[in-house]
Amino acid sequence: MSRAYRVAVVGLGKIGLPLAAQLATKGHTVVGVDINPQVVASVEAGRSHIDGEPGLVEAVRAAADAGRLSATTDTTDATRRSEVAIVIVPLVVGADKKPDYDNLDAALSAVGKGLQRGSLVIVETTLPMGATRKHVAPILESESGLAPGEGFYLAFSPERVYAGRALQDLARYPKIVGGIDAESTRRALEFYQASLDADVRVVANSETAEFAKLAETTYRDVNIALANQLALYGGARGADLKEAFEAANSQPFSHLHRPGIGVGGHCIPVYPHFLLSDSSDGELDLVRIARDVNDGMAARSVRWLDDAVGGLAGKRVLVLGLSYREDVKELSFSTALAVIELLRSAGAIVLAHDPHFSASELAALEVEVVDLEKPLAVDAAIVQAYHREYRDLDWGRLVGLRVVLDGRGALGAAALRSRGIEVISVGQPPAR
Ligand SMILES: NC(=O)c1ccc[n+]([C@@H]2O[C@H](COP(=O)([O-])OP(=O)(O)OC[C@H]3O[C@@H](n4cnc5c(N)ncnc54)[C@H](O)[C@@H]3O)[C@@H](O)[C@H]2O)c1
């Protein structure tokens, strides 16, 4: 029988909380840590603060009731009481496109201060290559006075799940594990075998595990850039893009992703920069170009809209869905932010709607947050994130609507066209 561990999970966000709940279901005693006291209060009370994650509300409640999940803001104390500390706080890039370690380092130094001899630290936050050994280990060593691989063990194991089905993915996606040495790998393997139903896949070292995650996410960014360019090319020459992509993907080696007006979130548009920020000239040209292509889609799309409405100045434009993708509450690196900025610079009046956010949560965007329950005068709308709530949207309430930019290729355009509304999308720009 596998053993039960005392585990600290540092970062109780969209990914950390499902992980903490999963560990508790395996009999481990889990202390969740977050710098946000409201998150901690909610988990302490057995409540999930994350919506739209199937099974999570019940799992958090059951874990708390069983006395196997508690929460604190004190990372050092939680680490001191645990045999394993898992770090799952975000690491993103700053305005200079270089990794901004402030957040992660704060978590690591607090973990280091509480490290006990023989403890295992696992970083699940996506890291640049080499960072587990060259960045994480020295912080833990200097804060704890313990030597990596002797006084404590250290492994990297990327989190690969998709927000919105995290518990399901934890049960089925192979868990990649690579330590800074053989003993760290062995201990991390043993821990995950006692924690997950999924296969655990050991790789050569922490660098290999880091690279696997960066390769997987960069593949998706480059694939989307290719899909965008193919859509622009094929659409301009009369192809039905949806049919063409589905037909292409009926060949088992073809896995074309969907074109769209931008790639957002704190993963896919961020991790290629982890690779680029320490690459030499020419080494990763394709990755750089793909990033530029995807980042350029928002400006292209707003130009199409400008053409379609005969100039955006003074026009009322509704952005539907501010999250970076459908059915998730997450604004970071969302294409919506670029789109709003571009619309504003073109002189449009920007209206916005997202069922996941309250008006006060969107206050910083300085847009007019609207209610779709009553008639609303608009000239154009942009489907930025096609949340499930929009499937039943009564487009008739958008009075004066002339053009819809379907940024995700999600709409059945025929119904809108039959109302005399022009529908444009990537590869299907305005007819003029
Ligand atoms: N969101 C995804 O779809 C996804 C998918 C796969 C992997 N990941 C990985 O998971 C990481 C976390 O993503 P997320 O979606 O859970 O983020 P999130 O923003 O939902 O949550 C992060 C949590 O960490 C807390 N936090 C920040 N700094 C902290 C610190 N110093 N100490 C303790 N807590 C701290 C925040 O308060 C927040 O509650 C990502 O950076 C990525 O590496 C995310």
Side-chain angles (χ1 to χ4, degrees):
M1 208 189 104
S2 60
R3 60 177 279 218
Y5 290 78
R6 283 174 284 115
V7 190
V9 174
V10 183
L12 290 177
K14 287 183 290 302
I15 306 301
L17 186 60
L19 178 67
Q22 162 69 27
L23 298 176
T25 65
K26 288 291 180 175
H28 305 326
T29 302
V30 183
V31 190
V33 187
D34 207 284
I35 45 168
N36 182 339
Q38 283 158 343
V39 166
V40 167
S42 144
V43 175
E44 264 291 272
R47 282 195 312 270
S48 165
H49 62 286
I50 308 287
D51 294 328
E53 194 60 72
L56 186 60
V57 168
E58 298 79 3
V60 170
R61 163 62 55 208
D65 286 351
R68 284 203 288 269
L69 176 62
S70 59
T72 176
T73 53
D74 189 339
T75 308
T76 301
D77 181 57
T79 307
R80 197 174 286 127
R81 292 190 276 131
S82 302
E83 301 150 278
V84 180
I86 299 179
V87 179
I88 179 77
V89 303
L91 172 68
V92 294
V93 288
D96 60 356
K97 307 292 184 201
K98 304 249 186 281
D100 172 359
Y101 282 100
D102 288 356
N103 208 29
L104 180 74
D105 289 358
L108 290 171
S109 38
V111 166
K113 289 186 175 69
L115 263 191
Q116 303 295 296
R117 181 165 289 281
S119 300
L120 170 65
V121 179
I122 304 174
V123 180
E124 292 208 359
T125 299
T126 306
L127 294 180
M129 266 199 83
T132 306
R133 193 182 304 277
K134 294 195 189 123
H135 187 97
V136 177
I139 295 175
L140 296 176
E141 180 172 17
S142 79
E143 296 288 0
S144 66
L146 298 168
E150 290 172 33
F152 70 93
Y153 302 94
L154 176 61
F156 179 74
S157 179
E159 196 44 84
R160 310 167 74 199
V161 303
Y162 192 71
R165 49 165 211 241
L167 288 171
Q168 289 78 351
D169 289 349
L170 277 171
R172 62 184 175 169
Y173 285 1
K175 193 79 176 109
I176 297 171
V177 175
I180 56 162
D181 55 21
E183 184 57 15
S184 294
T185 304
R186 191 192 68 71
R187 288 178 184 239
L189 167 67
E190 200 173 85
F191 169 72
Y192 283 119
Q193 282 174 333
S195 306
L196 300 174
D197 296 316
D199 288 342
V200 185
R201 183 181 295 221
V202 164
V203 295
N205 45 34
S206 50
E207 288 76 10
T208 307
E210 291 159 349
F211 186 54
K213 172 74 184 186
L214 296 172
E216 155 191 326
T217 45
T218 301
Y219 161 80
R220 288 164 63 194
D221 199 42
V222 174
N223 189 322
I224 294 166
L226 176 64
N228 281 331
Q229 292 216 319
L230 288 176
L232 295 173
Y233 176 93
R237 289 162 179 76
D240 179 312
L241 296 172
K242 191 162 179 295
E243 278 187 11
F245 277 48
E246 279 171 10
N249 284 348
S250 67
Q251 208 289 343
F253 293 138
S254 179
H255 305 282
L256 279 171
H257 288 11
R258 265 187 308 157
I261 60 168
V263 177
H266 54 52
C267 296
I268 308 295
V270 170
Y271 303 149
H273 288 298
F274 288 7
L275 293 173
L276 291 169
S277 62
D278 77 340
S279 68
S280 32
D281 269 359
E283 206 176 13
L284 289 173
D285 281 350
L286 184 59
V287 176
R288 191 181 307 279
I289 292 169
R291 235 356 11 259
D292 290 345
V293 167
N294 290 337
D295 272 352
M297 293 307 291
R300 272 180 193 270
S301 323
V302 171
R303 278 200 300 276
W304 296 327
L305 199 61
D306 188 82
D307 279 355
V309 297
L312 282 164
K315 300 287 182 349
R316 290 168 62 81
V317 182
L318 170 63
V319 181
L320 289 165
L322 301 180
S323 287
Y324 76 90
R325 69 160 162 86
E326 73 283 0
D327 302 329
V328 74
K329 180 179 181 178
E330 177 65 70
L331 278 182
S332 56
F333 298 89
S334 172
T335 302
L337 309 177
V339 164
I340 288 168
E341 225 21 74
L342 288 157
L343 289 171
R344 236 196 308 258
S345 346
I349 301 159
V350 187
L351 317 177
H353 179 270
D354 192 307
H356 293 273
F357 296 92
S358 65
S360 63
E361 287 173 315
L362 299 175
L365 300 184
E366 294 176 5
V367 289
E368 188 181 331
V369 178
V370 297
D371 175 4
L372 294 182
E373 295 305 310
K374 27 185 208 226
L376 180 74
V378 299
D379 298 290
I382 301 178
V383 176
Q384 200 296 125
Y386 192 57
H387 295 309
R388 58 171 66 88
E389 288 81 354
Y390 296 142
R391 291 178 203 160
D392 302 321
L393 181 68
D394 179 359
W395 292 90
R397 287 210 194 106
L398 302 180
V399 182
L401 178 67
R402 287 163 44 207
V403 183
V404 175
L405 167 59
D406 180 3
R408 303 296 163 193
L411 300 176
L416 287 169
R417 288 190 179 123
S418 71
R419 292 165 177 260
I421 297 168
E422 182 174 4
V423 181
I424 58 178
S425 58
V426 175
Q428 300 197 310
R432 317 171 237 306

